[in-house]
Amino acid sequence: MKILKFGGTSVGSVNSLKAVVEIVKKEKEQDNPIIMVVSAVHGMTNLLTKMAKDASLGELDTNDLDLFQEKHFEIIRTSIDVKNQNPIITKLKLLMNELEELLHGIAALKELSAQSKDLIISFGERCSTLMISKILEQTISNVQPIDASQYILTDNHFGQAQVNEEVTFSNIRKLVEENSDKLLVVTGFIAANKDGRLTTLGRGGSDYTAALIGAALHAEEIQIWTDVDGMMTADPRLVKKAFSLENLSYTEAMELSYFGAKVIYPPTMTPAFKLNIPIVIKNTFNPNFPGTKIQLESSVTKFPIKGISSVNEISLINIKGSDLVGKLGFSGRLFSLLAQHHINIVLITQSSSEHSITLAIHHNDLEDAKHLIENEFSLEIQAKRLEPVEVEQNLAIIAIVGENMKRTTGVSGKLFYALGRNGINVRAIAQGSSEYNISVVINEKDLSKALNAVHDAFFNHLNKTIHVFNVGVGNIGSTFLNQLEKQKDFLAENNDIEIKLVGLANSKKMVFDENGIDLSNWKQALKQTDTVVDLNDFISTMKCFNLPNCVFIDNTASSVLPSFYKQIFQHSISIVTCNKIANSSSYKDYFDLKQTARQHGAKFMYETNVGAGLPIVNVLKDLQMSGDKIVKIEAILSGTISYIFNHFKGENSFGNVVKEAQELGYTEPDPRDDLSGVDFMRKMLILARDAGHHVEAEDVEIASILPQKCLEAESVEDFYKSLQEEDAYFEEIKQRAEKEQKVIRYIGILENGKISISLDLVNDQHPFYSLSGSDNIISFTTERYKERPLVVKGPGAGAEVTAAGVFADLVNVSSIK
């Protein structure tokens, strides 16, 4: 015997009912004995609840009654032959007349008891069972609709009645014996007390009905047919990467269901658990998918957890004071009080000092619970042995669940790291001694972010999604985006990283797409948007999205954008930047950004600040982290100046070489921005600060390459004229270098906390002698590398290498577990 329960979405439309008929036909063709349990048509229980509430306020809307009737009649008209429609329409019409009379009675009294509410919402299952039975009769013989209230006996707790299993099981066995040749279609959710008054079994009661029938008959299997492919690793509406679980133990399924997994109702499993009857969750719309099997033992999995569930609309009640410490009976009084008034405690945590108890309850119970506690402990509060009751609202619970947790170390560490790195504050924590579940209370606004971050952390066979917000699409920015587009498949296959470009801005427009902007079409996306760029709005939108694993990328030279870095870090969003302004402004700002990033678990990556794509910043950091001591740093960190002096030879004049460099794109539009040495100074300043020195820009001794007259020229055109006029000055330097068989180099030196930058002539024994093209070079003299300094050399300018450096920083941020 199999029990097949079909939920509201499975019986909610003509197409879904066709799928149900096919599933049942297949079972009957294989001679499998089955019993069906059906829910109300999708949305009808909520509609009935609304009508009951409106009637109690004297505001019954007859349009709702018409909608309830029309929903059923529409299905009948399209699913049943015309000649067979009248009998079922007549039966349903009688039920609906009864419903209307009840609602008018409630409206007249303006009072809705729990008993009356149960009776009203029962019409959903009663109508759907009659209708579905008639639809099945067209292809299957001997179909019998069954009203479960005649067989399932409960107490008088209307709304969530408790079942008398002994009598119920006897009734069910007798029912099946008397109808062994029939397909029974049973109403889910409803039952009756000993007086015959109708009761309901609470939320998810149709699942419970199926489990009761299965247990009574010692069924081979209980199937719960719904609209998803079994139980998922997380709520698929919030976590798009959630996937179906092949199997779960009863304990795992109960834990997941208790904390919000809505596919199955927790009490459902109790009768099945007692008799070790498997429960299979299957998809009506994908019947060939095996679904999830819930059984006594879970199979071994490579993951430390089975799933993540969540509950929103949670509130915390915090009770603290000296009266709690070592006092017997306090907890008993508290929990008995709430139990007597049917207030469910979702989670409990108590400090080891016994000075406080924190309770998590559903938001709807908050006012009642607070009032009850304040009344019960009013004397203790007045005597100040207890502090006034504290309340926190707008919270949610996420719980990680799995039997494998007790055999795996570091599970809690991984959970809290994933939350902490994404700036999600934990308000309360609970873990059972069985180690099947760790639950945390967080702000409700962070729920989606938390679920995705934790899912990425534990199910590492899936690609980790990085949400990128990029400002700047000039040479470097556009090259970076093109590199990202070309390498996205490589990143997925080799680094388990999926990059989603969520926000993009240039100097005029900005565009957002939470599902990801097409990297092959980003130019068109910017062109088509009408949203004018506003940096405040860009940053605000990024924060409002509240996505996990976010990285902000600054591919500009803007002096304004770095002023937003601190608030970005405060939202636990990492930053990758090629913009040197932030790190080379005041030391206070530099230090403040570093500290803010550290405090909020964000990463600050700026490798391209110093040597474009060269690993200079990281080499310095690694030397220091390994305990080495920096003695001296010598560097040429301007690709522009390198190119100019490497080509300032023979008959070539200095002015011509500068012009050639500008035409090749090596210099800024005004070459003095490079030749003044200010950019070089910023790079040396960043290196000095990263090496641990408290230095300001004004502390740097910088010797200009250019005569004062060239620096003071009013325009770029005048600048080139002055270069020609000062040709003798540059020629003299070149001739001296040739005479001494040396080369001209513009070198920065950091030693004893002092920075100097000057023009120098070096011989062939110097490591900087053989520098060519626009290369950068840096020499680290340390305690370990004293006799032979550590030298890093390579391209130091150009969009390709700089963009590649930004790309590498992004991957490094993303790869940090």
Side-chain angles (χ1 to χ4, degrees), residues 504-511 526-529 531-533:
L504 182 64
N506 59 15
S507 59
K508 295 178 181 178
K509 293 182 176 181
M510 60 185 186
V511 62
L526 271 176
K527 185 178 180 180
Q528 290 175 348
T529 185
T531 308
V532 177
V533 71

Side-chain angles (χ1 to χ4, degrees), residues 453-595:
V454 173
H455 198 273
D456 267 3
F458 282 100
F459 297 105
N460 51 19
H461 71 298
L462 302 171
N463 289 336
K464 179 180 179 181
T465 302
I466 306 301
H467 298 98
V468 169
F469 295 82
N470 181 87
V471 177
V473 293
N475 283 341
I476 295 170
S478 58
T479 305
F480 162 74
L481 292 172
N482 292 337
Q483 289 177 356
L484 201 57
E485 199 274 331
K486 288 177 185 175
Q487 296 297 319
K488 62 182 180 182
D489 293 337
F490 178 86
L491 286 176
E493 292 170 13
N494 296 277
N495 296 71
D496 301 323
I497 294 169
E498 177 191 3
I499 304 291
K500 274 190 182 178
L501 179 64
V502 181
L504 182 64
N506 59 15
S507 59
K508 295 178 181 178
K509 293 182 176 181
M510 60 185 186
V511 62
F512 297 92
D513 186 341
E514 198 166 337
N515 294 316
I517 298 164
D518 184 354
L519 285 167
S520 63
N521 201 34
W522 62 265
K523 289 181 181 177
Q524 195 67 15
L526 271 176
K527 185 178 180 180
Q528 290 175 348
T529 185
D530 294 324
T531 308
V532 177
V533 71
D534 181 291
L535 291 177
N536 275 304
D537 287 349
F538 189 93
I539 304 302
S540 295
T541 303
M542 176 175 68
K543 292 192 290 186
C544 285
F545 274 5
N546 204 26
L547 297 168
N549 307 319
C550 283
V551 181
F552 176 80
I553 299 182
D554 179 3
N555 273 322
T556 75
S558 167
S559 59
V560 177
L561 203 48
S563 65
F564 293 95
Y565 285 10
K566 186 172 182 178
Q567 61 173 290
I568 293 171
F569 285 140
Q570 287 170 337
H571 209 68
S572 297
I573 296 173
S574 295
I575 294 177
V576 172
T577 181
C578 62
N579 189 336
K580 293 181 276 290
I581 301 295
N583 284 323
S584 61
S585 57
S586 73
Y587 182 84
K588 178 182 178 301
D589 289 345
Y590 162 88
F591 183 78
D592 197 24
L593 286 178
K594 289 270 192 172
Q595 288 294 99

Side-chain angles (χ1 to χ4, degrees), residues 314-456:
I314 291 292
S315 296
L316 285 183
I317 293 179
N318 194 28
I319 307 163
K320 57 185 178 181
S322 59
D323 224 41
L324 273 69
V325 181
K327 185 166 183 178
L328 297 175
F330 182 89
S331 298
R333 278 175 69 193
L334 175 63
F335 300 139
S336 296
L337 170 72
L338 297 176
Q340 287 165 13
H341 291 83
H342 307 294
I343 293 173
N344 183 44
I345 302 171
V346 183
L347 177 150
I348 304 165
T349 182
Q350 183 171 14
S351 66
S352 57
S353 66
E354 300 182 38
H355 186 261
S356 68
I357 295 177
T358 299
L359 312 175
I361 61 173
H362 290 286
H363 173 72
N364 292 339
D365 293 327
L366 177 61
E367 289 303 318
D368 289 344
K370 184 173 183 288
H371 180 69
L372 288 166
I373 293 167
E374 287 173 339
N375 282 349
E376 176 71 18
F377 298 102
S378 59
L379 293 177
E380 289 88 339
I381 293 170
Q382 287 174 19
K384 296 188 176 179
R385 296 199 304 272
L386 285 181
E387 295 181 19
V389 176
E390 295 178 353
V391 167
E392 289 185 65
Q393 300 184 65
N394 303 316
L395 303 172
I397 295 174
I398 68 167
I400 57 171
V401 173
E403 291 185 354
N404 216 21
M405 287 165 58
K406 62 186 176 183
R407 295 184 289 271
T408 308
T409 58
V411 172
S412 58
K414 186 174 284 192
L415 168 66
F416 295 122
Y417 180 76
L419 295 173
R421 188 176 174 201
N422 284 282
I424 299 164
N425 190 30
V426 175
R427 310 300 303 152
I429 305 164
Q431 180 176 12
S433 58
S434 65
E435 296 187 67
Y436 287 153
N437 176 324
I438 301 175
S439 306
V440 295
V441 181
I442 61 172
N443 287 326
E444 193 170 56
K445 67 180 178 62
D446 290 328
L447 180 58
S448 175
K449 182 180 182 181
L451 285 170
N452 281 278
V454 173
H455 198 273
D456 267 3

Side-chain angles (χ1 to χ4, degrees), residues 228-248 252-253 255-257 259-263 281 289 291-292 301-310 397-402 405 415 447-448 450-462:
V228 292
D229 289 337
M231 290 191 78
M232 314 284 278
T233 50
D235 186 340
R237 294 167 301 179
L238 298 175
V239 181
K240 290 191 172 111
K241 293 183 189 176
F243 58 92
S244 300
L245 294 162
E246 184 180 343
N247 59 68
L248 290 166
E252 289 171 332
E255 293 280 1
L256 285 169
S257 300
F259 283 99
K262 296 179 176 61
V263 174
I281 314 296
F289 190 82
T292 302
T301 173
K302 62 181 178 179
F303 304 115
I305 68 171
K306 272 293 179 70
I308 310 157
S309 59
S310 58
I397 295 174
I398 68 167
I400 57 171
V401 173
M405 287 165 58
L415 168 66
L447 180 58
S448 175
L451 285 170
N452 281 278
V454 173
H455 198 273
D456 267 3
F458 282 100
F459 297 105
N460 51 19
H461 71 298
L462 302 171

